[in-house]
Amino acid sequence: MRNDLRIGVAGYGLRRSLALEAHRPGNGSRVVALCDPDPAARERARAEIGPDLQDTSDFGELLTDDVDAVMILTPDHTHVELAVAALKAGKTTLVEKPLAVTVEDCDLILRTARDHGTRLYVGHNMRHMPVVRTMRQLIMDGAIGEVKAVWCRHFVGHGGDYYFKDWHADRRNTTGLLLQKGAHDIDVIHWLAGARTTRVTGMGGLTVYGQVTDRSEGLPTDWFSPATNWPPLAQHGLNPVVDVEDLSMVHMRLENGVHASYEQCHYTPDYWRNYTVIGTAGRLENFGDHGEHAVVRVWNSGRRDYDPVGDLQVPVTAGTGGHGGADEGLISEFVRFAVEGGPTDTSPVAARDSIAAGVYATESLRDGSTPREVPPVSPDLAAYFAAGQI
């Protein structure tokens, strides 16, 4: 239908699920064009989206009058060039997280959106994850008082398969996995605590996968096989370049005085995130981050010894689709924003702030854990995006 938002997609790889989520013919949006340099990816897109899909290897061909909005789902280091081109062309643009891999590139994207008056949206889908929204609502309802500390442990159980066999393993493409994976969680920490990071100290290293000597130019046929790729030192077919950390952590001081920490490990047997938020009148913690048994527990009725249950248990009700319904929520918000403008739960400035914390934490990690001050976005850009993108 002509009334559907017509979307052009750049990249049909790891995050093609977002393109499929956005293809809702007759229900507000449809994917009408795809750019990907890989002919096999374009063929797969036509098979999954439909034979009428226009496909190309030239990103410029997405920026025509036949396309209303652009979704950039390409590898991280390509985001800045594509986003700037789309914004200059006046296309409402969704950039998958992370916004970019340097602070300078993030600021360039923000300035381009402002200077051309083009709507910019960043794919921080965790702000739409039921577990995160449950925790945020409990905090806003005063369940634990004023937030004073946030801790996040990120167990990346499939890290050896997902992040050390392709472009992610090369720091030229990501800066590092503390940024690439951590951008999600740092953004959530900021959202739950209500402030950005101003000072960081990082620590970590390539502690396991650097010992794996089997390398490959392409993914092996059984690249994702928990049965054969365990324990982690049994991994094979890693990227020829592996110079990112598989274990990393950062301590953060936020602008409002909250203290936070984030830990990430890519060789755990389980795959989930665990948040603890401590306030002046209690604490909360999630157990599981999606699935039927996920729950957020609150302790707020007074002191006690070990108590595995807590005073309040809130089941996490997952939606349909990817990431427990987060992808559906993200795309619905993006389509509404592209058509109408107005406030969104995601924030381009917050996306930039999560990158800034990750970049400077990675610098600290690689420089003997020396502390780093994290600069804010320029006041003019902060004011522009705070006013909303009409």
Side-chain angles (χ1 to χ4, degrees), residues 323-354:
H323 296 90
D327 288 353
E328 179 183 19
L330 182 87
I331 291 301
S332 294
E333 183 173 73
F334 169 65
V335 170
R336 190 271 301 160
F337 173 68
V339 174
E340 302 174 3
T344 58
D345 282 339
T346 65
S347 161
V349 169
R352 178 265 186 204
D353 287 340
S354 71

Side-chain angles (χ1 to χ4, degrees), residues 193-341:
R196 71 173 190 91
T197 295
T198 60
R199 185 177 177 87
V200 294
T201 302
M203 183 176 290
L206 182 60
T207 59
V208 168
Y209 293 123
Q211 302 174 53
V212 176
T213 58
D214 188 275
R215 305 297 174 90
S216 174
E217 293 291 341
L219 293 177
T221 55
D222 62 344
W223 72 274
F224 179 65
S225 176
T228 59
N229 295 341
W230 182 264
L233 286 174
Q235 278 287 1
H236 60 284
L238 299 192
N239 196 54
V241 176
V242 176
D243 62 1
V244 295
E245 294 76 16
D246 54 19
L247 178 68
S248 55
M249 55 197 72
V250 56
H251 285 138
M252 298 171 278
R253 186 175 66 200
L254 276 56
E255 198 165 38
N256 60 357
V258 171
H259 291 76
S261 66
Y262 170 69
E263 290 80 38
Q264 177 191 107
C265 182
H266 283 263
Y267 46 86
T268 58
D270 47 347
Y271 197 173
W272 65 295
R273 293 170 167 95
N274 171 249
Y275 284 91
T276 295
V277 186
I278 304 173
T280 56
R283 76 175 182 94
L284 62 78
E285 184 174 354
N286 71 292
F287 294 84
D289 52 20
H290 67 280
E292 60 177 323
H293 300 300
V295 64
V296 176
R297 294 187 175 128
V298 178
W299 292 260
N300 62 3
S301 69
R303 298 187 183 94
R304 86 286 309 265
D305 291 328
Y306 174 66
D307 174 3
V309 177
D311 301 300
L312 174 65
Q313 297 186 68
V314 182
V316 176
T317 304
T320 59
H323 296 90
D327 288 353
E328 179 183 19
L330 182 87
I331 291 301
S332 294
E333 183 173 73
F334 169 65
V335 170
R336 190 271 301 160
F337 173 68
V339 174
E340 302 174 3

Side-chain angles (χ1 to χ4, degrees), residues 52-71:
D52 294 334
L53 179 72
Q54 300 298 308
D55 66 275
T56 179
S57 60
D58 180 1
F59 182 71
E61 293 184 12
L62 289 189
L63 309 180
T64 68
D65 290 342
D66 291 332
V67 170
D68 302 315
V70 170
M71 295 171 57

